[in-house]
Amino acid sequence: LQEYMESFTGLEVSPRKVDYLKFLLKKEETVRTTDISSELNVDPSTTTKTLADLASQGYVDHVPYRGVRLTEKGKEYAQFLIHRHNILSLLLTHYGFSAEESCHEVSRFEAYVSKDAIEKICASMGHPTVSVCGEIPHGSCRIGDRLL
């Protein structure tokens, strides 16, 4: 897991899968697929397929008819996704976006911003701890060659 977390790019999953992982992290428990479909406004069959893809990549444990939860790898990756979202949201507020505008705008492009770019932006901002969207976790952030 540690080796994976140090080598991932932040671009491993599609924008839609980012939404699934962030939702599951916020729930902190096993979640029924119908709840995911409802929250993300997608067809249940699409949810099932997406969860199967995420399970094959090792991000979730999916037990049919029971629900889904993040694996350790999934939790670590989802924490990076929150870190990325919050850093980018804070960045946009420095350019005149309101908190709501920045959060909405970042949701449109965040999945295309690499971990390396986020680390550089975060460092240039002095590794902030709070964003307009909440606390900024630094578990995947690097200074030099060490993780914060």
Side-chain angles (χ1 to χ4, degrees):
L1 180 63
Q2 181 66 31
E3 187 177 300
Y4 169 76
M5 293 312 296
E6 291 180 12
S7 67
F8 78 92
T9 64
L11 306 172
E12 285 78 7
V13 299
S14 69
R16 195 62 183 151
K17 290 176 185 170
V18 165
D19 294 338
Y20 282 76
L21 293 174
K22 285 168 51 178
F23 175 72
L24 289 168
L25 183 66
K26 288 177 188 170
K27 293 308 252 183
E28 298 180 354
E29 59 187 19
T30 299
V31 180
R32 295 179 321 149
T33 56
T34 53
D35 295 338
I36 298 169
S37 297
S38 177
E39 177 69 25
L40 300 179
N41 198 28
V42 295
D43 187 82
S45 63
T46 301
T47 299
T48 300
K49 181 185 180 311
T50 303
L51 292 172
D53 290 347
L54 288 169
S56 73
Q57 292 176 286
Y59 294 111
V60 301
D61 286 326
H62 180 215
V63 179
Y65 308 106
R66 296 236 181 209
V68 64
R69 69 173 183 263
L70 292 172
T71 60
E72 279 305 309
K73 175 182 172 181
K75 285 179 193 169
E76 291 289 327
Y77 196 78
Q79 287 170 347
F80 162 75
L81 298 175
I82 299 297
H83 173 80
R84 175 171 67 188
H85 178 88
N86 290 355
I87 288 293
L88 292 171
S89 294
L90 182 60
L91 179 69
L92 290 187
T93 64
H94 289 264
Y95 292 98
F97 287 80
S98 71
E100 186 177 316
E101 289 170 332
S102 68
C103 185
H104 176 73
E105 196 63 34
V106 165
S107 295
R108 296 173 55 180
F109 71 85
E110 66 189 318
Y112 302 104
V113 182
S114 72
K115 179 181 170 195
D116 186 51
I118 293 302
E119 288 176 358
K120 289 175 181 169
I121 293 167
C122 188
S124 75
M125 296 172 82
H127 298 284
T129 57
V130 179
S131 171
V132 296
C133 296
E135 287 185 29
I136 300 175
H138 286 281
S140 63
C141 198
R142 294 180 156 290
I143 293 182
D145 284 334
R146 62 185 176 85
L147 287 173
L148 277 183

